[in-house]
Amino acid sequence: DAKTTQPTSMDCAEGRAANLPCNHSTISGNEYVYWYRQIHSQGPQYIIHGLKNNETNEMASLIITEDRKSSTLILPHATLRDTAVYYCIVRGNMEYGNKLVFGAGTILRVKS
Amino acid sequence: GAVVSQHPSWVICKSGTSVKIECRSLDFQATTMFWYRQFPKQSLMLMATSNEGSKATYEQGVEKDKFLINHASLTLSTLTVTSAHPEDSSFYICSARAGFLYNSPLHFGNGTRLTVT
């Protein structure tokens, strides 16, 4: 599975959009980009995933660059409850058994 | 949405005893579940892949005789920490894939906080 690089931490003002970047320059053609978040002392929560097209759901939008080497998770109107560690993960090889391997993630702090 | 339930949410046990943690997929069947461990201020570390009806696959460095995994049905996997020691104190989290496509997302339980005294 391709490795990902994320900033260690970011701050965002409440009500503003939070844009979380992720680099995955070694991604291969069949690998998807997944985003999860983990609020303190809870299990990770699935947010969104995509292959090459931009995706949007009720939680967030995922923007993937045309060369697929990077992506951005957008929380359109961040609230204090969005404070969490956000993980960008690349997965796709069926022989890898569908495992999700977590990196260090980005600590997002939403401030009032 | 897909729900994964873990029980118990926290447990305290004495050194040398065994502890069983249950992971259930509530509204879907899961042929494969995954067990993770997380130490304070660290990321999740994959321990093993639990396969329904067959032996679990353990990640390198994880002792299979210490962390017994049983996936007896399509909705239940259990992790038993045998002869627990204080260094086994950690946050244990399970996950399962909801959906048949290989790109279907994994959903996670809320974790079990194990403290060994």
Side-chain angles (χ1 to χ4, degrees), chain A residues 58-106:
Chain A
E58 65 278 6
M59 289 183 68
S61 294
L62 173 60
I63 308 298
I64 302 174
T65 58
E66 192 169 343
D67 62 8
R68 303 208 323 121
K69 293 185 177 182
S70 65
S71 60
T72 300
L73 178 74
I74 301 173
L75 307 178
H77 305 287
T79 70
L80 298 178
R81 290 180 296 178
D82 291 322
T83 293
V85 180
Y86 287 76
Y87 297 99
C88 167
I89 303 168
V90 173
R91 173 172 75 99
N93 188 342
M94 289 186 68
E95 293 181 357
Y96 201 64
N98 296 306
K99 293 187 281 191
L100 279 181
V101 178
F102 285 77
T106 295

Side-chain angles (χ1 to χ4, degrees), chain B residues 3-94:
Chain B
V3 177
V4 175
S5 175
Q6 267 186 256
H7 178 81
S9 56
W10 61 270
V11 58
I12 301 172
C13 72
K14 292 186 177 181
S15 187
T17 62
S18 295
V19 174
K20 180 185 286 188
I21 302 170
E22 292 186 348
C23 178
R24 294 182 184 274
S25 56
L26 296 186
D27 52 358
F28 64 98
Q29 294 182 332
T31 56
T32 303
M33 293 184 176
F34 303 91
W35 288 95
Y36 292 81
R37 179 169 54 180
Q38 186 176 33
F39 292 107
K41 298 188 178 182
Q42 293 186 23
S43 189
L44 284 79
M45 184 190 76
L46 181 65
M47 299 176 65
T49 301
S50 171
N51 302 298
E52 189 267 336
S54 64
K55 291 183 179 180
T57 304
Y58 291 82
E59 295 298 304
Q60 191 171 10
V62 178
E63 299 175 60
K64 62 179 182 179
D65 294 330
K66 181 166 187 61
F67 299 99
L68 300 179
I69 292 173
N70 187 310
H71 194 153
S73 77
L74 287 172
T75 59
L76 174 64
S77 175
T78 61
L79 169 68
T80 301
V81 183
T82 63
S83 187
H85 292 284
E87 57 266 29
D88 298 323
S89 298
S90 189
F91 192 48
Y92 292 86
I93 310 167
C94 71

Side-chain angles (χ1 to χ4, degrees), chain A residues 34 36 38 92 99-100 103, chain B residues 36 38 43 59 102-104 106:
Chain A
Y34 295 81
Y36 287 79
Q38 187 178 27
K99 293 187 281 191
L100 279 181
Chain B
Y36 292 81
Q38 186 176 33
S43 189
E59 295 298 304
Y102 80 94
N103 61 312
S104 298
L106 297 184

